[in-house]
Amino acid sequence: MGGRKWHEIKDKKAAQDASKGKLFTQFSRNITMAARQGGGDIETNNTLRVAVDIAKKQSMSKDAIDRAIKKGTGEGSKGVAMSELQYEAYGPGGAAILINVLTDNSNRSVNHIRLVLMKNEGRLADSGSVAWMFERKGVIIVQAGEGQSTDDIELLSIDAGAEDVVSESGSVEITSSPDIFFEIESQLKESGYSVEYASVDWIPNQEVDLQGEERTHTEKLIDLLDEIDDVVDVTSNLK
């Protein structure tokens, strides 16, 4: 992956740090999605445990975390039924885009997505025409602390079954199959390393290298899609 995901995370984090509310909104989405998929118990739901740990590291309040969990499990006074959906799209220059959504109103969500695409040279794609270009992978980013070596992090990750390991600027990006993702993440934490990011993501099999206005417009479109309230994650094969 050549550090692609790490660059994405750094760029997103830089933008999100300017708005703490937006950062917490993303944490809430991740927690709600994890709770919906695997239940609200962090002892049995590894995805939820990772999402909560990352939110706590950024000082997200316990009440906000609990609300996000209850939203995912359908508990609480509202008990709103949430649907997990995935839309496929093409951006300017033909970049493939996956849009993952968690919503209580699918019509509202798809209409908003369609409007953003239409206004920014994109379009919805037929089901299956884009998704085949991506596969699910565990992605972990570890920041080496004082006295810690990225080489040691790499070796531990490889021994634990990582498929790909890339080091850059004191950080290590680890890619694995979803099946052993949590085992690798647990071993890293038990060894005293700081896990900055951990998630099972959609990773493109091949990337497209757009230049000039096509690239600029595609990046703008991805940012606008990511700002939609119901959107949990946007992934593209843009290099």
Side-chain angles (χ1 to χ4, degrees):
M1 289 179 10
R4 179 190 61 81
K5 191 67 182 181
W6 174 232
H7 280 297
E8 287 181 7
I9 299 303
K10 286 199 295 185
D11 291 344
K12 279 190 176 183
K13 188 176 185 304
Q16 287 170 332
D17 281 347
S19 172
K20 203 70 170 180
K22 182 175 176 62
L23 184 63
F24 285 170
T25 296
Q26 185 62 54
F27 290 153
S28 294
R29 291 174 180 173
N30 294 342
I31 292 168
T32 297
M33 178 74 83
R36 171 176 169 75
Q37 292 175 336
D41 186 352
I42 62 172
E43 298 300 324
T44 58
N45 185 343
N46 287 324
T47 306
L48 178 62
R49 174 179 56 78
V50 172
V52 169
D53 284 349
I54 291 174
K56 284 181 176 178
K57 285 177 69 175
Q58 294 295 329
S59 302
M60 187 172 180
S61 72
K62 183 179 184 300
D63 286 345
I65 291 171
D66 289 343
R67 284 196 302 271
I69 292 173
K70 288 179 178 179
K71 183 178 180 181
T73 59
E75 298 177 37
S77 57
K78 292 185 178 181
V80 178
M82 305 295 289
S83 297
E84 183 184 345
L85 305 170
Q86 185 178 79
Y87 297 101
E88 302 172 45
Y90 288 107
I97 302 173
L98 284 183
I99 307 159
N100 293 297
V101 169
L102 186 66
T103 182
D104 60 353
N105 187 325
S106 59
N107 288 332
R108 177 192 65 219
S109 300
V110 72
N111 286 338
H112 199 165
I113 289 169
R114 184 180 286 113
L115 182 62
V116 170
L117 287 167
M118 183 180 66
K119 288 184 174 181
N120 294 275
E121 304 175 52
R123 62 181 176 85
L124 281 175
D126 293 335
S127 178
S129 60
V130 166
W132 68 271
M133 303 180 195
F134 299 79
E135 60 182 329
R136 295 286 273 170
K137 292 289 183 182
V139 179
I140 304 169
I141 295 172
V142 179
Q143 181 70 44
E146 186 176 351
Q148 294 179 338
S149 165
T150 56
D151 289 341
D152 290 340
I153 298 172
E154 289 184 17
L155 287 173
L156 189 157
S157 303
I158 292 169
D159 288 343
E163 295 179 358
D164 188 30
V165 182
V166 177
S167 297
E168 183 176 328
S169 303
S171 294
V172 182
E173 179 182 319
I174 302 142
T175 309
S176 74
S177 70
D179 295 340
I180 62 170
F181 161 72
F182 293 112
E183 181 180 338
I184 296 174
E185 188 260 349
S186 295
Q187 288 191 34
L188 288 164
K189 291 185 71 174
E190 289 170 3
S191 299
Y193 296 112
S194 177
V195 176
E196 299 296 316
Y197 178 86
S199 180
V200 177
D201 295 335
W202 289 98
I203 303 298
N205 294 316
Q206 291 185 325
E207 296 176 327
V208 294
D209 188 10
L210 301 180
Q211 302 294 329
E213 289 190 356
E214 285 185 339
R215 182 177 188 85
T216 301
H217 292 168
T218 301
E219 290 175 341
K220 177 184 177 183
L221 171 59
I222 291 170
D223 287 341
L224 290 172
L225 289 169
D226 199 38
E227 290 175 1
I228 298 173
D229 287 341
D230 295 335
V231 172
V232 176
D233 183 57
V234 181
T235 304
S236 82
N237 66 345
L238 179 65
K239 185 173 182 179

